[in-house]
């Protein structure tokens, strides 16, 4: 269909089916030959990886805690320039943010003027949907609720009751999806099996194509294309990223494979301003190519400990690289493999690089998550933590680095920082501004 449609998929709470619907819509519309651009509200790496596979276009994170509004607008405009449809998957419930609603799907929708399509789990609900929808609609009347898709609705009679609730509230009903026991998105936190993910995406697309009117959804969310950042009536200044003093002078190695795959595209764009990026695989490559900077992002090293631990020639090269002054940036799983060892779920210890005086374990899992702000030399770098592993020792990080959560509370989170090493459990976002990484990357 001609024109540009965009919207955010949101819900009253987690578990309503946002991801399944998003993936199904991305693939179903892609099957029509449309150019689809996916986005994810929040810092999550895993959903954008699925989005990328479903839409055949890299998924982009939009996060109001880690990014300025100007940067988000610029990202959105740049990445939708050639799109026919842009679909953003929300996070948690519509108004759930880091503090109250701050940074929520609702706030992102307001910033980008995104129509909202609600996903409502109506399995055990009938006319009570009216009260819930009324609250979501009127809590912030400035939001445009384009419609609601009812999930887990098996009969036409049930859907008719729900449509009556919609009519009374004044929200369009955009269709319903029955339960499908064969439709299962792979676990978000157990690694990404590409084949299983593709099977799930195809199943979700068939489910969407069979039960929803895609033309009606596109018509309900059609709008003018976003204006270029900086051309809006807003008085907010356009984000002005700092350019490196010596662009393009360095060779930067980036680990990228099934064990190290948590990479923000904008971070890589930023790294490219400092030099040439070369990707390599710690799972397959036995030696480290020559370089100035080594970036070990997070991922799932705990799923590949046999391969990683046995790749001692690579760990030897990394120790030599560091001894010769090579700079290493490591986040979460990347930091873990730089330690002496990782203990797996069975309690077995696997030796790793031995470059940092730490050891970690995923036995007796304990979830640590949340936004983080790192302050170093009066500069700020933002990111987040999400991991089940823990230190088995009590490492002492660099003393002049302060870490705070989204509520401004200082938290114990060791950061290992020296002239040629920057490692922690944090996943950083520096796509807008490198902050305290600037001098470190240029050194």
């Amino acid at each position: 269909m001609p024109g540009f449609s965009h919207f955010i998929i949101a819900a009253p709470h987690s578990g309503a089916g946002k991801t399944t619907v998003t993936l199904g819509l991305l693939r179903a519309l892609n099957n029509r030959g449309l150019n689809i651009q996916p986005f994810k509200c929040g810092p999550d790496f895993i959903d954008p990886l699925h989005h990328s596979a479903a839409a055949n276009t890299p998924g982009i994170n939009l996060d109001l805690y880690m990014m300025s509004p100007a940067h988000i607008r610029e990202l959105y405009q740049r990445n939708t320039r050639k799109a026919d449809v842009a679909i953003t998957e929300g996070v948690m419930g519509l108004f759930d943010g880091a503090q109250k609603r701050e940074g929520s799907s609702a706030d992102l929708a307001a910033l980008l003027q995104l129509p909202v399509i609600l996903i409502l789990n109506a399995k055990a609900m009938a006319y009570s949907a009216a009260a819930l929808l009324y609250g979501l609609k009127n809590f912030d009347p400035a939001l445009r609720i384009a419609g609601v898709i009812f999930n887990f609705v098996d009969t036409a009679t049930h859907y008719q009751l729900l449509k009556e609730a919609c009519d009374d509230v004044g929200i369009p009903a955009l269709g319903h999806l029955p339960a499908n026991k064969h439709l299962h998105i792979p676990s978000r936190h157990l690694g990404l099996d590409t084949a299983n993910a593709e099977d799930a995406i195809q199943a979700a697309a068939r489910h969407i194509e069979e039960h929803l009117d895609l033309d009606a959804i596109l018509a309900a969310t059609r709008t003018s294309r976003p204006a270029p950042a900086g051309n809006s009536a807003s008085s907010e200044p356009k984000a002005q990223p700092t350019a490196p003093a010596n662009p393009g002078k360095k060779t930067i190695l980036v680990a990228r494979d099934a064990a190290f795959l948590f990479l923000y595209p904008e971070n890589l764009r930023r790294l490219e301003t400092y030099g040439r990026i070369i990707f390599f695989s710690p799972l397959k490559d036995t030696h480290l190519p020559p370089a100035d900077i080594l970036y070990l992002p997070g991922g799932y090293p705990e799923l590949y400990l046999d391969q990683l631990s046995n790749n001692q020639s690579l760990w030897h090269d990394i120790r030599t690289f560091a001894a010769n002054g090579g700079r290493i940036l490591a986040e979460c799983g990347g930091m873990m493999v730089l330690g002496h060892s990782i203990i797996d779920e069975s309690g077995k210890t696997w030796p790793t690089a031995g470059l940092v005086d730490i050891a970690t374990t995923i036995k007796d899992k304990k979830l640590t998550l949340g936004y983080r702000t790192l302050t170093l030399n009066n500069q700020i770098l933002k990111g987040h933590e999400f991991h089940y592993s823990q230190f088995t020792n009590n490492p002492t990080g660099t003393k002049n680095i302060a870490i705070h959560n989204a509520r401004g509370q200082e938290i114990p989170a060791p950061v290992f920082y020296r002239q040629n090493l920057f490692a922690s459990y944090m996943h950083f976002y520096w796509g807008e501004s490198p902050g305290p990484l600037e001098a470190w990357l240029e050194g």
Side-chain angles (χ1 to χ4, degrees), residues 123 151-159 176-180:
K123 180 178 180 180
N151 208 1
F152 308 112
V153 176
D154 290 323
T155 68
T157 301
H158 186 190
Y159 181 52
H176 70 285
L177 294 167
N180 186 340

Side-chain angles (χ1 to χ4, degrees), residues 133-388:
L133 292 173
Y134 180 88
L136 292 170
K137 178 183 177 181
N138 291 285
F139 187 78
D140 183 353
L143 290 180
R144 179 192 162 200
I145 308 294
V148 56
I149 296 170
F150 293 100
N151 208 1
F152 308 112
V153 176
D154 290 323
T155 68
T157 301
H158 186 190
Y159 181 52
Q160 182 59 38
L161 295 172
L162 296 166
K163 284 180 66 177
E164 291 171 357
C166 281
D167 292 341
D168 288 353
V169 173
I171 294 179
L174 294 175
H176 70 285
L177 294 167
N180 186 340
K181 65 181 180 181
H182 302 295
L183 186 59
H184 174 66
I185 303 299
S187 174
R188 292 165 44 79
H189 310 303
L190 295 178
L192 291 174
D193 184 304
T194 304
N196 289 343
E198 178 59 24
D199 289 346
I201 290 167
Q202 289 185 13
R206 288 192 296 268
H207 196 55
I208 293 292
E209 289 166 339
E210 182 179 356
H211 296 287
L212 296 182
D213 184 342
L214 296 179
D215 290 332
I217 291 172
L218 295 181
T221 57
R222 191 167 293 116
T223 186
S224 58
R225 196 170 296 277
N231 291 350
S232 67
S234 171
S235 61
E236 178 186 289
K238 182 178 178 180
Q240 298 291 340
T242 304
N246 298 296
K249 300 295 185 182
K250 300 183 182 302
T251 299
I252 304 165
L253 292 180
V254 178
R256 186 170 68 176
D257 58 23
F260 303 94
L261 73 172
F262 291 169
L263 291 156
Y264 290 124
E266 289 304 303
N267 282 3
L268 295 180
R269 282 170 57 88
R270 171 63 61 176
L271 277 182
E272 286 176 337
T273 66
Y274 292 90
R276 181 171 64 105
I277 290 177
I278 298 175
F279 293 104
F280 79 106
S281 170
L283 291 176
K284 298 178 181 178
D285 296 325
T286 56
H287 289 284
L288 197 69
D292 302 294
I293 297 171
L294 170 61
Y295 175 31
L296 298 170
Y300 297 105
E302 64 270 23
L303 299 182
Y304 303 92
L305 289 174
D306 190 2
Q307 290 169 259
L308 291 171
S309 184
N310 287 323
N311 197 355
Q312 286 300 316
S313 58
L314 180 67
W315 304 133
H316 175 270
D317 285 359
I318 288 177
R319 289 191 296 270
T320 302
F321 174 80
N324 291 334
R327 292 172 180 267
I328 302 176
L329 175 62
E331 300 172 337
C332 200
M335 176 202 70
M336 291 167 64
V337 298
L338 291 181
H340 296 296
S341 63
I342 299 174
I343 300 173
D344 67 18
E345 288 186 274
S346 71
K348 181 176 179 178
T349 298
W350 299 87
T352 47
L355 185 63
V356 182
D357 188 19
I358 60 170
T360 53
T361 179
I362 60 167
K363 192 173 184 244
D364 303 322
K365 291 181 179 180
K366 179 182 177 182
L367 177 61
T368 301
L369 79 162
Y371 286 113
R372 302 289 183 258
T373 297
L374 178 151
T375 304
L376 173 64
N377 299 328
N378 296 317
Q379 289 185 294
I380 289 175
L381 189 59
K382 289 188 175 181
H384 66 104
E385 281 190 72
F386 194 115
H387 56 91
Y388 287 94

Side-chain angles (χ1 to χ4, degrees), residues 5-73:
S5 296
H6 71 160
F7 51 91
I8 186 168
I9 298 288
H13 52 77
S14 296
K18 294 191 302 292
T19 297
T20 300
V21 173
T22 299
L23 293 176
L25 285 171
L26 289 171
R27 177 57 62 83
L29 293 169
N30 183 257
N31 287 342
R32 288 187 167 196
L34 297 174
N35 293 322
I36 315 299
Q37 177 58 58
F39 296 93
K40 172 64 182 179
C41 176
D44 177 76
F45 290 101
I46 301 167
D47 284 339
L49 288 166
H50 285 315
H51 294 171
S52 301
N56 293 311
T57 302
I60 303 297
N61 291 81
L62 303 172
D63 188 281
L64 281 160
Y65 182 84
M66 301 192 303
M67 308 172 187
S68 71
H71 181 61
I72 289 176
R73 287 195 183 97

